[in-house]
Amino acid sequence: MATIAENLTQVRVRIDAACRAAGRNASTVQLLAVSKTFDAQAVLAAARAGQTAFGENYLQEAVAKMAELQALAGPQAQALSWHCIGPVQSNKTRLVAEHFAWLHTLDRLKLAERLSSQRPAHLPALQVCLQVNVDGGANKSGVPPQEALALARSVAQLPGLCLRGVMSIPEPAPDCAAQYALHQRAAQVFADIRASGLPGLERFDTLSMGMTDDLEAAIAAGSTLVRVGSGIFGRRPAATAA
């Protein structure tokens, strides 16, 4: 069985190859290791292999993991960047505001306002991406593409937040061409907001899309951040925390 370090190397090889195929520099694509449901030792193994950015869905589990890593790794744990990539209930916004550097799943103004008011003054602004529902699925999170610009306009003005880009999680597609078409929808929303000239978008530079099974199509469509879990950590254990 391959180690986490070996898996990381293979994922980076895939990213490099996808960037070459798309005529892009590999330095333009960040790798986010999705560590939800994996323990602190798994994160530490990835960190020791050079990975610094980690994505989590389950907030209480994530905060406990951060504390355990601090005890295990000390200064090395301080260098890690934590990204919330799951849906956030209004009663749990404080956990995000106080413990995370990024939130990828912002899809409504009320949530943004709570995060803004709860972000501790001693921390840098919370980096946020708008989650866009490119499929139009009724049971999926995300702002409809046609409403994304209006939400961006409001979020960009909130203190304590820095609007960085757009995120999407499309439904699985049957082939690379179909994956690419879905990712292009999110890329277009990103491009439209970036070209809008809205104030407060000086650092609007992140297109968060693509996972283990579709990162090549996402990079071809312009992704600047791919979120890879099973490709690094293996089969995911059952979730134990919400």
Side-chain angles (χ1 to χ4, degrees):
M1 180 181 296
T3 66
I4 288 173
E6 290 168 339
N7 288 341
L8 268 169
T9 297
Q10 289 305 309
V11 170
R12 290 169 181 150
V13 167
R14 286 179 62 190
I15 292 171
D16 287 350
C19 286
R20 286 196 302 273
R24 299 178 57 189
N25 189 311
S27 66
T28 63
V29 180
Q30 180 184 4
L31 172 60
L32 182 67
V34 179
S35 49
K36 65 177 183 180
T37 75
F38 291 96
D39 62 21
Q41 291 290 349
V43 173
L44 186 57
R48 286 174 173 165
Q51 181 64 27
T52 59
F54 293 89
E56 294 281 337
N57 281 48
Y58 308 112
L59 299 180
Q60 290 162 312
E61 172 201 300
V63 171
K65 194 180 304 182
M66 293 175 197
E68 185 177 354
L69 280 161
Q70 182 64 43
L72 286 170
Q76 187 174 16
Q78 293 286 352
L80 304 183
S81 175
W82 294 94
H83 298 231
C84 177
I85 58 172
V88 179
Q89 299 173 345
S90 293
N91 64 347
K92 292 186 177 179
T93 52
R94 189 173 296 278
L95 288 174
V96 177
E98 294 182 350
H99 295 281
F100 285 83
W102 285 73
L103 171 69
H104 290 234
T105 53
L106 187 59
D107 61 359
R108 57 197 187 276
L109 183 57
K110 179 181 178 181
L111 189 68
E113 290 170 340
R114 287 181 63 87
L115 290 163
S116 174
S117 66
Q118 293 170 346
R119 185 67 169 175
H122 70 278
L123 292 179
L126 179 66
Q127 313 297 295
V128 298
C129 291
L130 304 184
Q131 182 175 356
V132 178
N133 184 350
V134 296
D135 302 308
N139 296 320
K140 293 182 65 177
S141 299
V143 60
Q146 65 272 19
E147 298 176 15
L149 180 59
L151 180 59
R153 180 179 292 109
S154 297
V155 171
Q157 302 308 308
L158 291 174
L161 304 183
C162 178
L163 182 56
R164 293 295 299 271
V166 166
M167 177 266 215
S168 71
I169 311 176
E171 292 291 344
D175 53 45
C176 189
Q179 293 168 350
Y180 177 76
L182 285 170
H183 288 312
Q184 275 196 312
R185 298 181 191 176
Q188 186 61 57
V189 174
F190 174 78
D192 289 345
I193 295 174
R194 196 174 188 182
S196 68
L198 290 176
L201 297 185
E202 291 78 15
R203 298 185 66 194
F204 194 81
D205 56 6
T206 301
L207 185 51
S208 170
M209 60 186 191
M211 298 183 285
T212 299
D213 293 335
D214 65 347
L215 68 84
E216 285 83 3
I219 289 172
S223 175
T224 68
L225 183 150
V226 293
R227 309 178 304 269
V228 178
S230 60
I232 295 171
F233 297 105
R235 186 180 297 275
R236 181 163 290 116
T240 57

